Amino acid sequence: MSSDRLFYLPLGGAGEIGMNCYVYGYGPRDQERLIVVDLGVTFPDMDTTPGVDLILPDITWLEERRDRIDGVFITHAHEDHVGAVGHLWSRLQAPIFARAFTANIARRKLDEHGVPENEVVLCNAWPEQITAGPFQVGFVPVAHSIPETSALVIDTPGGRLLHTGDFKLDRSPVVGEPWDPDVFKAIGQSGVKALICDSTNVFSPEAGRSEAAIGLAIEELVQGHAGMVVATTFASNIARVKTLAEAGIRAGRSVCLLGRAMRRMVEAGVQSAVLTDFPKTVTAEDAADIPAENLMLIVTGSQGERRAASAQLSRGKYLGLQMGEGDLFLFSSKTIPGNERGVISIMNAFSEMGVDVVDDTGGKYHVSGHANRPDLQMVHKLVSPQMVIPMHGEHRHLREHVKLAEGGGFAGVLAPNGTVVELQGNAPRIAEYVETSRTYYDGNAYVGAFDGVIRDRIRMALNGHVTVTVIIDEEGDVLGDPWCELMGLPERGSSNAALVDVLEEDLGQFLGRADDKTIRDSDKLDEALRRIARKTTQTELGKKAEVTVVVSRLA
Amino acid sequence: MSSDRLFYLPLGGAGEIGMNCYVYGYGPRDQERLIVVDLGVTFPDMDTTPGVDLILPDITWLEERRDRIDGVFITHAHEDHVGAVGHLWSRLQAPIFARAFTANIARRKLDEHGVPENEVVLCNAWPEQITAGPFQVGFVPVAHSIPETSALVIDTPGGRLLHTGDFKLDRSPVVGEPWDPDVFKAIGQSGVKALICDSTNVFSPEAGRSEAAIGLAIEELVQGHAGMVVATTFASNIARVKTLAEAGIRAGRSVCLLGRAMRRMVEAGVQSAVLTDFPKTVTAEDAADIPAENLMLIVTGSQGERRAASAQLSRGKYLGLQMGEGDLFLFSSKTIPGNERGVISIMNAFSEMGVDVVDDTGGKYHVSGHANRPDLQMVHKLVSPQMVIPMHGEHRHLREHVKLAEGGGFAGVLAPNGTVVELQGNAPRIAEYVETSRTYYDGNAYVGAFDGVIRDRIRMALNGHVTVTVIIDEEGDVLGDPWCELMGLPERGSSNAALVDVLEEDLGQFLGRADDKTIRDSDKLDEALRRIARKTTQTELGKKAEVTVVVSRLA
């Protein structure tokens, strides 16, 4: 027994917001049985991952140990916790455990990849527990911004762990279960070795507010507006969607949900019985015949996504619906850092249409789904664990959360992705670091973050591209002139001659002078031609273009 | 006289924050004499302008009328007001008018382009006025975040205009002239036809605070920290740089300025006598020998710019200086929307070093340089113009500012870039729209926004690139096999064969089947090869790559 170890290993989510993937291990060293908590995704951006569709955790470490995995536990149905199950299940082939609503969403994702739905095992809420190898796992209902979110009690022979998942201290979350401090206290009273705890809002100084607090403000806003009212929020925030819909109905309007993701979420809520009294809605087709002043649309695209309903409406008619002068658009959501440009561009497009835009700047129409700084302190105290391990946050959030825990008298440990933290002693011990990375889902291919593919795309975006072709004849002599094609480069540079001509001239001069040995050596010739093309673009344009060289040798 | 018209035409800055460039005209239609107010730049981003270095207003309209331009007036030395003078002067060749500090900066920019410094005419402050054609222009000192910022009184035979430039109502701006309501009132009392007014902060509901309000908080922060203190702000915000430096000195520290832009600004401040008592600083070389607890650095890169001092320090040793555990980094600046990712990445890099980061979230360490909503209302009333024309702001800011003016009983007009607004009547009249655009400064070339160059770069970044080469022999037959090279694409697609092989196979099959007519028709053959390559990448990768086709025909 003394040789058994209990460890925590984040593969995603610790050092970033999104892409949650955590591993717990218990057993003799290198034979530990494993469970995985969450398999989430994160989203690409043009700066670092142009063209990529989704970013998944690199699960190489897990795949190499897949015979030791006793289960994958999904805390809730947000994309950054469940989004990768469809993509990665076949490489792990371990059973997935989730509560009904989360399972509904997970099964839809698995189905898209041809995985049968019985790979997802439906779980009841705490105090029931599921046995998975040496682990006993219970789903403890917490409030968040999506139904049936759960913290996990993970009982092991090495002690009890409490993995909070995402949560907030909301006693009236509109949809989903309220925060119940007594349950957390009781869990803590049996002795918690480690509290592994959400960190995203550690810099928010005030206690969090309840979802119920904004219903009235939204209702007043809708009531007070004569024209069409359109509101957007995160599709998965069913509570908010319901708050918005009810405000619309009370204001005497017909309500229409626009956007596949939103309709799918509401459908999953009804199917899994977490959503029982959602107001009646009309289809987009019917909505098109309803006068603007009697209509409220609730739409996807709160983050400015180009293809979502918000962006479509900002560009003009969408599914027969069109906004205009005197209408109102409400962002009942926070803009996630990095998405500002897309959101602002939609705001300005609406402004050009004469649509009034209201955002959550004043905090009246949105509340966060995460525990703020004082909320975290309260949870530390309630659970009173031996140690606090901050998870789900950028490095700065994790670091601040460690300080916060230590300030409250708890041992804390800063454990970014790849850190193996042993928990069997009285204090956390960093045992080792494993390599972690990301996998890019690009079109329908999977690309490693270090494969160089995306690096080359970024380089082409910054520097443009030149194709250089040269033909060598049967005697090993250069046939004709080199030929160049440009993409993403100006036609003329500083000499004011056509850039293609300058390139072909410079390359031709080099080939005219080159000795037989250089011409015969393919690698050397390629490299020399590339170097000249880069040098010429540097001289002409002030930047070195990316170059593809094709030397054809006639046999 | 009745046939003369007075107009306002924004070419940049109205419909965006940045790239300010406004035109005023007076005279008979199509023979109006013109003055230009500001020639600014805006900054590129990876999403829309990858690889671009700077974005300039497209001045084609002005260039075509350059014999009618009587002067270019620069309100202040921020890049978005003066940044394009060096790039564009040779196309306009009109005299530049500015006050001493602004002139100092403008001359440095012209000098880089070989333009003699006497093209910049030094101007004194209001009530002096400069005669430029039918215009009498006076520089009215206002407070902003850079010295000698000025509003312009533009007297014309058609009436008096007041162009505010950027400004805030700060009675104690630390450096630069204070806001003086009496001057504005007096200007208004002689009758102002139109107030052309800064709009950037129209959504900020509280009255603006003074630069002097934050000095104490900064001093307390520096005093309270044991390790090295490093602060960043906009290089041009000399008042803030001074506030920071003085706080450092009072805390008994040696102060060092890092970053070329910041040293250049302070130098210009001293040369033009707007900065008279800046504390003594040490060089980076000397700073490296000073213990951390006795040192304060003031550095460039508040917006996360990769090559600026902040980013360099976040990556490790820079000019012999290195931050670490227990040191403090202060963002005494607001993050401009769109720059969040870069700033956050620096914050996390510092977190990994153990450096504490403080930002302006609480508003303690930064104040804006622009007039907020109640400040704008106060200025409308003070000046009491016939009409208010909001400028410098995105569309939503301009629209809101029009509403604000109308709410106060003033005629307002929404005039985004390209709108010719006639002012000679009692109310503004939109006469026509002229085409406006942007010019990209890319490396050392100028590229039009609609040239397709940047579009191609974005496409390569999103879709990758394939080079296809084919050789046709003297008889018009295909010689050998087609050859493909990939850039920015995965090696393998859904078939799991090498993508290059699948491409060459598909292209080879097509060529085997193609009739002589297709092979002989260069355009047709190119297009067919491109189509096949795109289709194959679509099948294999789920995305259509960008394709360069080179068909070499042996003569």
Side-chain angles (χ1 to χ4, degrees), chain A residues 198-218:
Chain A
D198 181 6
S199 308
T200 60
N201 283 18
V202 68
F203 288 110
S204 301
E206 313 290 341
R209 293 175 307 137
S210 168
E211 179 69 25
I214 60 169
L216 195 63
I218 291 175

Side-chain angles (χ1 to χ4, degrees), chain A residues 351 354 356 395 399 403 444 541, chain B residues 351 354 356 395 403 444 541:
Chain A
S351 178
D356 290 322
H395 194 281
R399 182 165 177 268
K403 284 199 209 174
N444 54 28
L541 305 175
Chain B
S351 178
D356 289 321
H395 194 282
K403 283 199 211 174
N444 56 26
L541 305 175

